[in-house]
Structure formats: structure tokens, C-alpha cells
């Protein structure tokens, strides 16, 4: 799986992939990330990537020619999928991250200023990806988020298969609460059930907590889902949960 990021600020990516799970995936060759300076695809002596918008309004717009040239240069055998980071795009979620992880090459174009020339949207990209309903100054942070979220679904990137499976959203609901040492901190205790050694009971408790959190915080995630009979039973049981803790 290979990501190609096209940006006018390649230096912004120096630190972001240099630690943790993504760094390990890069070292093990599970994921490749190439960052390309859009200015390298200009053909004028000023290496100009932006220009004033037609119609006379304020700001600058990224020009189409260097973006088309950059994509044509980095795309492998016409196989790469091309996405523009944009607040107007499909909002990134676990489903989209999983879809991207199944691609061989994902090319991410980072916009800047007022955005990019619309011909890029209409004639070059396969889609636009947003990381939320707010406007960033540029697509670089969004591209880093996309690369991180998608890489987690590349087989082998996250150590134990389980950790991705139980992650929030991956299984359609939020993750269960986690605790570590100490058992008690400033009077705050870790739920007793976690020391029971009874793995079935612990699993049941975790599922119940995950369902409860989801129903309370993100009812939209379960609203149109048919819950398994066991999950329905666990939810009905929630008022009695204190007995388990
Ligand atoms: N004028 C544009 C609009 O309102 O749709 C916003 C331009 S924004 C200042 C500059 C660039 O930041 C965009 O071209 C895009 O690449 C990136 N960007 C901003 N918000 C984003 C978001 N929520 N998700 C992904 N990319 C975003």
C-alpha cells in the first residue's frame, strides 16, 4: 500500500510519520509514503503554483497544470486512486479508511489558500475527502489523518488483529473503557470485574460498556442497526451493571 502526498509544504510531514505505529509500518515496508513538492511540477522560473481567481475576488487558488502533472508523474500504471482533501468531500470514517487501505496506491492532493482550480475536482480526482465540518488552512493535516486512519486497516500494521477489530467504529460501535495500573488512584477504583480472571464475564462486561457508551454518546451509530439478541439483552441489563463492578 502506497500513499503519495502532493503538497506545497512537504516539510510539514517530516515529523508526523516519524514515530509510533506508522513509523513501524514504514520500517517494515507494509506502507510506503512519498511526499511530493507541487513546485517540482511547475514549468516556469518562479515555480508558481497559485494565481488569482477569475471573477476578481480575494485570495489565491492552486493552479491546475502542476497538479495534473504531479498526479500523472506519480500514478503507478494508471492504478492509483486520486483524492483531493477538501471540506466539501465525503467525511472520513472507518468505512472510508478501510476502503482506502484496500487500494494499492492512494494519491492525496493537499489544497491551500482558497482551494484548487475546480477542473482538478471535475476532471482529475476520483473523490474528495473531508476530515470534518470545519475549514483548515490546508490539506496537509487532513492528509496525515487520512494516512494514519487508513494505514491502521492495512494487514499487519496494528500489532494484534484484535486491536483494530475492537477500535471505536470498526465494529460499528465505540470501544470499551480501558484501565491500567494502579488499581486505585486518589480513591478512583478500577472496576472489580476486571480482576475476576473470568474471561467470559470480562468480555461480557466490556461489550456491555461499549454498547452503553455508544447508546449514550453516539445513538446515531446504533439507530439503524439490528442488534444481535445478546447485545439487546446486555443493553436491557445496563441498570443492573453496578452489581458487576
Ligand atoms: N474555500 C474552501 C472552502 O470553503 O471549501 C476552503 C479552502 S481551505 C482554506 C484550503 C484547503 O485546506 C482546502 O483546499 C483543502 O485542501 C484543505 N481543507 C480545509 N478544510 C478541510 C477539511 N475539513 N478536510 C480536508 N481538507 C480540508
Amino acid at each position: 500500500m502506497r500513499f503519495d502526498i502532493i503538497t506545497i509544504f512537504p516539510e510539514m510531514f517530516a515529523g508526523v510519520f516519524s514515530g509510533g505505529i506508522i513509523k513501524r509500518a514504514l520500517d517494515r515496508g507494509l506502507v510506503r509514503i512519498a511526499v511530493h513538492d507541487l513546485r517540482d511540477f511547475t514549468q516556469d522560473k518562479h515555480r508558481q503554483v497559485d494565481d488569482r481567481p477569475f471573477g476578481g475576488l480575494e485570495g489565491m487558488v492552486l493552479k491546475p497544470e502542476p497538479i495534473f502533472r504531479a498526479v500523472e508523474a506519480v500514478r503507478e500504471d494508471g492504478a492509483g486512486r486520486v483524492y483531493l482533501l477538501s471540506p466539501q468531500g465525503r467525511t472520513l470514517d472507518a468505512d472510508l479508511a478501510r476502503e482506502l487501505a484496500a487500494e494499492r496506491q492512494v494519491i492525496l492532493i493537499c489544497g491551500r489558500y482558497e482551494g484548487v482550480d475546480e477542473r482538478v475536482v471535475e476532471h482529475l480526482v476520483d473523490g474528495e475527502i473531508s476530515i470534518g465540518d470545519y475549514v483548515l488552512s490546508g490539506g496537509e493535516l487532513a492528509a496525515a489523518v487520512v494516512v494514519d486512519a487508513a494505514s491502521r486497516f492495512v494487514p499487519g500494521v496494528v500489532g494484534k488483529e484484535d486491536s483494530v477489530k475492537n477500535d471505536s467504529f470498526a465494529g460499528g460501535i465505540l470501544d470499551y473503557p480501558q484501565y491500567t495500573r494502579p488499581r486505585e488512584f486518589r480513591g478512583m477504583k478500577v472496576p472489580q470485574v476486571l480482576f475476576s480472571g473470568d474471561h467470559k464475564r470480562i468480555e461480557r462486561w466490556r461489550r456491555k460498556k461499549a454498547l452503553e457508551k455508544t447508546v449514550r454518546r453516539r445513538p446515531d451509530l446504533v439507530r439503524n442497526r439490528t442488534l444481535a439478541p445478546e447485545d439487546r439483552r446486555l443493553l436491557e441489563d445496563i441498570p443492573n451493571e453496578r452489581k458487576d463492578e
Side-chain angles (χ1 to χ4, degrees), residues 85-88 111 113-115 129-132 134-139 142:
L85 280 313
S86 163
Q88 303 176 23
Y113 314 123
E114 297 307 313
I129 302 176
S130 165
I131 62 161
Y134 41 81
V135 174
L136 300 162
S137 317

Side-chain angles (χ1 to χ4, degrees), residues 1-14 16-17 22 26 31-41 67 70-71 74-75 81-85 105-111 138-148 151:
M1 154 104 240
R2 171 185 170 135
F3 295 96
D4 288 89
I5 301 172
I6 298 169
T7 169
I8 61 167
F9 293 122
E11 65 279 7
M12 283 185 68
F13 294 92
V16 76
F17 302 129
I22 304 302
L26 288 169
V31 167
R32 284 188 296 154
I33 303 171
V35 181
H36 308 276
D37 188 342
L38 184 61
R39 290 183 201 283
D40 292 343
F41 300 93
I67 299 179
V71 168
V74 304
R75 194 184 240 161
R81 302 283 291 172
V82 185
Y83 296 94
L84 172 69
L85 280 313
Q105 184 188 23
V106 169
I107 300 169
L108 299 171
I109 303 166
C110 304
E140 288 75 11
L141 294 175
V145 169
V146 169
V147 169
D148 190 307
S151 298

Side-chain angles (χ1 to χ4, degrees), residues 50-110:
D50 57 335
D51 213 330
R52 298 207 172 281
F54 283 125
L57 283 177
E58 294 295 300
M60 300 298 269
V61 175
L62 286 182
K63 290 161 67 62
E65 312 97 299
I67 299 179
F68 272 75
R69 265 188 233 110
V71 168
E72 284 153 10
V74 304
R75 194 184 240 161
E76 282 174 353
D77 333 317
R81 302 283 291 172
V82 185
Y83 296 94
L84 172 69
L85 280 313
S86 163
Q88 303 176 23
R90 173 176 166 192
T91 307
L92 180 67
D93 60 10
D95 288 340
L96 178 51
R98 204 184 276 111
E99 282 171 34
L100 295 174
E103 298 291 342
R104 220 174 61 208
Q105 184 188 23
V106 169
I107 300 169
L108 299 171
I109 303 166
C110 304

